[in-house]
Amino acid sequence: MSYNPTNWQDRVVEHPRRFEVQNNPDGTVTLIPKPGTVLQEGTPVNAANMNKLEQGLVSHMADYVRQPAYAVTSGTSTAYTVTLDPAPDAIVEGFSITIVPHVDCGASPTLNINGKGAIALRNNEGEPLVARDLLAGVPYNFRKVGVNFIASSGGGVKINGVDEVQAYFGDTISKGEPVKLVIEVPKLPDPSSLPTGRGNSVSFSPDGNYVAVAHYSSPYITIYKRNGDTFTKLPNPSSLPTGTGWSVAFSPDGNYMAVAHYSSPYITIYKTLQTAIPTGNSIFALSDAVALGYAKEAGVFEETKTIIRIWR
């Protein structure tokens, strides 16, 4: 129930400090107010007005929309319960509460406040919670939105400077379990087709999808395409360096690759082109493909046209 404030007014009289002195038989005197004309009656200070203030205070304390409640839970890991004092009349839209779970939550937990009925707890994206999303002893704030309690944030205490990283699990780890991060450099399997001679230089393309090796014997340069942790050799360029490759590098935008080599012209530069070649609808023509698609428009040899890429 909303609180309607009283418009309190002072009592105003013509003579606020005027009294008549009455002498009593026992020698005492009684001061009798003589205010004269009453200019404004004012608001009476009586039980009704005082009780209204008391009820307004109680209502404010139970307004859990404007000020969140706080409670440590009881119940089970999937059915939390709390008791608030003062008790809410109802769990209304916008009702806010901070809970401290007494146990880690199970899957799809609920919260029952003062026996008003179990309400599902959801994460800040509105999705059901999974086991151990809520940890014992950690405060979490929820607000009633529709039929659910939605988390106001990811929960727990936010520490400045923390971030999230992807890490390889070196063992079975439970959610919330403390971990340490160490640097490991495991060797990947060798490519199925290796360079033909001693490697002198290696370079990754800026996007990390290609790696080129300059090496001792023909074809002097070997280029691989990466797919996850697998590197597959691409066909040799139609024009090869003229001698032993000493060094190789990609341009910053990845559009060019230069090979420094032993004999004249001592440097060979390649432009990386995505060349469209018709497959003839044969799966046997796909072994060297880096992507598949279809032509959006017709074209002839050495024209640049649009290809709709559907796999890479």
Side-chain angles (χ1 to χ4, degrees):
M1 180 181 297
S2 61
Y3 178 77
N4 295 317
T6 298
N7 183 22
W8 290 82
Q9 292 183 330
D10 292 331
R11 176 178 169 84
V12 180
V13 297
E14 182 181 10
H15 304 295
R17 296 181 179 83
R18 180 177 289 181
F19 300 90
E20 177 184 322
V21 177
Q22 174 182 290
N23 294 309
N24 302 317
D26 61 0
T28 61
V29 297
T30 299
L31 299 179
I32 302 173
K34 292 293 183 178
T37 304
V38 177
L39 304 177
Q40 180 174 276
E41 283 292 344
T43 306
V45 180
N46 54 31
N49 284 330
M50 293 294 101
N51 287 332
K52 181 180 178 181
L53 290 176
E54 293 286 321
Q55 291 301 320
L57 179 60
V58 171
S59 297
H60 175 70
M61 292 173 63
D63 183 358
Y64 297 117
V65 174
R66 292 178 175 83
Q67 54 185 25
Y70 176 89
V72 177
T73 65
S74 299
T76 69
S77 64
T78 57
Y80 291 132
T81 62
V82 298
T83 301
L84 302 180
D85 185 18
D89 293 330
I91 312 302
V92 298
E93 184 80 3
F95 190 107
S96 180
I97 183 170
T98 296
I99 62 170
V100 179
H102 67 295
V103 293
D104 296 351
C105 79
S108 301
T110 61
L111 177 63
N112 192 331
I113 301 175
N114 288 69
K116 298 293 183 181
I119 298 175
L121 298 173
R122 299 292 183 96
N123 65 20
N124 57 347
E125 296 181 351
E127 299 170 343
L129 300 178
V130 300
R132 301 203 67 202
D133 265 349
L134 306 180
L135 302 178
V138 179
Y140 301 87
N141 182 255
F142 291 89
R143 189 170 291 274
K144 177 80 164 11
V145 180
V147 297
N148 300 310
F149 271 120
I150 304 298
S152 298
S153 65
V157 179
K158 176 67 175 178
I159 304 174
N160 290 333
V162 301
D163 61 359
E164 295 183 359
V165 297
Q166 298 296 308
Y168 172 83
F169 272 28
D171 201 346
T172 301
I173 302 173
S174 300
K175 182 174 180 178
E177 184 176 348
V179 298
K180 66 178 181 179
L181 296 179
V182 297
I183 301 299
E184 294 183 343
V185 189
K187 180 187 178 303
L188 299 179
D190 293 337
S192 58
S193 180
L194 298 174
T196 56
R198 183 186 65 199
N200 292 321
S201 177
V202 64
S203 177
F204 273 91
S205 62
D207 61 8
N209 289 328
Y210 298 90
V211 61
V213 182
H215 49 84
Y216 182 78
S217 53
S218 181
Y220 309 117
I221 183 75
T222 300
I223 304 169
Y224 297 91
K225 177 174 171 48
R226 182 184 66 84
N227 182 7
D229 289 338
T230 301
F231 290 81
T232 303
K233 182 183 179 301
L234 298 181
N236 294 330
S238 58
S239 180
L240 297 175
T242 56
T244 298
W246 293 115
S247 182
V248 61
F250 285 90
S251 62
D253 60 8
N255 290 331
Y256 298 90
M257 182 185 72
V259 182
H261 47 84
Y262 182 78
S263 52
S264 179
Y266 308 114
I267 185 167
T268 301
I269 302 174
Y270 299 91
K271 182 174 183 179
T272 56
L273 296 174
Q274 290 197 89
T275 303
I277 300 173
T279 66
N281 295 322
S282 170
I283 62 172
F284 300 105
L286 306 182
S287 60
D288 59 349
V290 296
L292 294 177
Y294 60 90
K296 184 179 180 182
E297 51 190 338
V300 299
F301 179 61
E302 293 189 340
E303 281 189 318
T304 299
K305 297 290 184 177
T306 301
I307 298 296
I308 305 299
R309 189 167 57 180
I310 59 175
W311 171 87
R312 58 176 173 173

